[in-house]
Amino acid sequence: MHQNQFTPSPASHLTPVSKCWRAGLFAGTFAAAALLAACGGGGGSSEPVVTPITPPPVAIASKAKYQVVLLNAVDGSRITDEITVSFSGDAKLIDSEGNQLNGKTLKTKDGVVSFGAEFTGGKNDFSVQAGNRVIGWTETGTRVVGDGAVVGTQTVELKLLNINAAAAITADPTKAIASAVSVVSGFTTAATVASPTKTVTNSEGVAEQAGSASVSFAPGTKAVDPVTGAVVPIVGAVTVSATMYANSEVSSLSAFPGGFAANVVAPASATGSAGGADSGTFITGGFAQFNATDSTGKALKQFDKPMTLAIDLPKSSLDPDGNPVVAGSTYPVWSYDDATGQWKFEREGVIREKSPVDPNNFTVVFESNHLSSWNLDYYQASCTATVTLGRGTDVRPLRVEISGIPGRRYANVLSSVRDSVQTIRRTPRQNLMVKVFDGTLLVGQTPTPVNLCGGVNIALNLPQPALGTIAATVTEACANGANRRPLPTFVRVEQTPNFDAGYATISGDVAQANFAGKKVGPARVFAFNKYTNSYAEQTVQVPLNATVAAPFNFTMPCAGVTGAGS
């Protein structure tokens, strides 16, 4: 079982027996028998009492349903470590019991968070932040901009990096990420950490030298509270990391914190070409993460002395008018707030030659008193784009990758796409390349970069379908099988790299979710029990042109039933 541990809601309305059971519910266990015995239930009674303790099932009322999948930024695998997740934004987010998630925090060990979203009255965005610094997962987030027409379940990927694997990441030539980690006893002396340069393969399939990112601390620097300014005690040694994400490759750019449809805090001078602070999109020259953590895992983010930060900028970069950037000109510098999911305009950074001169990269050097993710970005005008896939009636999940061109880098990845028409908000008004994948197989693309604001049709060459259907059913019942009833809930199917999700709705005496267009072969199916905050999992073999059943029945606590919850 994987656990998805939500912060419990008040249980004051529950009966005494229900309260006792609830006391263990959020521990994420099925130890209901012991709990019931402590409350006077169980006790070896031979006469089943079919009164369930759980409240009636509640389905998510929102038309738009989301699953956020937490993935390792390096290999794309789902993260099963404990990750803290928080929610913000204008759109109302609700869990399966109707509780609002905005402003709340939860923890998951499953790598998936499912919820509903309501886009009304112009409130059409939300942000999800995630991380666990204690075990190396640095904080990041993503922003979603939706609208009232969104229906069904949408999959959003959020990619995290674990700096404990920095050496392996940097050594891997297939990863467009380079990171350096240094452990220092403190900041009594000067300290500099710089990520190494690295040869990467860009989106055009050409090898190029990616730049580096660095942070330098002045002697005597102290960590301070960002609100009070009081000195923060540092426990043990300090781990400092500097990570550079190559700006020319999709898998690296798709780890961009906050996404390119960024929620920004900026003066009009920084957003003028976009027409306002929440109408444009980023075009990136490069982004980096800088972190410092003491031995307890506590993040050190604010300091009493300014640090010197540097992010390299490819010499192929273009300004908003399409002109090459030159040394001595400026480039906008932004910092990311991993609590709110907002990018804040900091300053215009000066572009400099490196020393010694690098034929591939300039660098932008600036000072700051705080650490976070930083980027070099122009905030530019956007449109609502339409991408139409020539897939006919084929419903297999596809992956759509949208990328910028040399000098004007951008990325957007659409996962588990089943519809023929994709409406994409906040797309830059510039030429972009679109590639469509069936798993790892390229099945269609634009022959050359094209402006998507006028819409684009992409013919697909899909292989002969070897597909089947998974029919998942979800019920709950007492331990002896009594009181069986449907359990409307999220169900998902994992056939890497696709993560499909659907909401099981009542059909007769079960809750059912069908997944058509699944590849023949093994598939992992997960069903979520919102009352125990737990997942059940099974592996099924998808047959050709047929349906395989994936039944789930969760045991619910029932007062007086022998072996309840076992």
Side-chain angles (χ1 to χ4, degrees), residues 521-525 537-542 548-550 552:
R524 298 173 69 191
V525 188
E537 173 186 348
Q538 60 179 282
T539 298
V540 299
Q541 291 292 325
V542 179
V548 62
F552 292 88

Side-chain angles (χ1 to χ4, degrees), residues 180-198:
V181 177
S182 180
V183 178
V184 298
S185 58
F187 301 116
T188 54
T189 59
T192 297
V193 178
S195 66
T197 58
K198 183 176 181 178

Side-chain angles (χ1 to χ4, degrees), residues 15 62 139 189 271 311 365 444 551:
T15 65
S62 305
E139 297 87 352
T189 59
T271 62
I311 302 174
V365 182

Side-chain angles (χ1 to χ4, degrees), residues 108-188:
T108 178
K109 291 183 179 179
D110 183 63
V112 178
V113 182
S114 302
F115 52 90
E118 297 178 1
F119 304 114
T120 58
K123 297 179 178 180
N124 63 355
D125 76 281
F126 64 86
S127 293
V128 180
Q129 314 303 314
N132 186 342
R133 187 77 67 92
V134 175
I135 56 176
W137 294 104
T138 55
E139 297 87 352
T140 189
T142 191
R143 188 193 190 202
V144 174
V145 181
D147 59 43
V150 172
V151 297
T153 301
Q154 315 295 317
T155 298
V156 178
E157 295 180 356
L158 180 55
K159 294 187 175 181
L160 287 75
L161 180 71
N162 194 310
I163 62 168
N164 292 338
I169 293 166
T170 301
D172 188 340
T174 67
K175 313 305 178 189
I177 304 172
S179 185
V181 177
S182 180
V183 178
V184 298
S185 58
F187 301 116
T188 54

Side-chain angles (χ1 to χ4, degrees), residues 252-306:
S252 172
L253 287 176
S254 63
F256 190 97
F260 281 75
N263 181 359
V264 302
V265 178
S269 59
T271 62
S273 65
D278 202 20
S279 58
T281 189
F282 276 144
I283 301 299
T284 187
F287 70 104
Q289 281 185 325
F290 303 100
N291 293 290
T293 307
D294 75 6
S295 62
T296 69
K298 179 175 62 180
L300 308 175
K301 297 186 177 183
Q302 194 82 16
F303 298 86
D304 66 337
K305 293 183 179 181

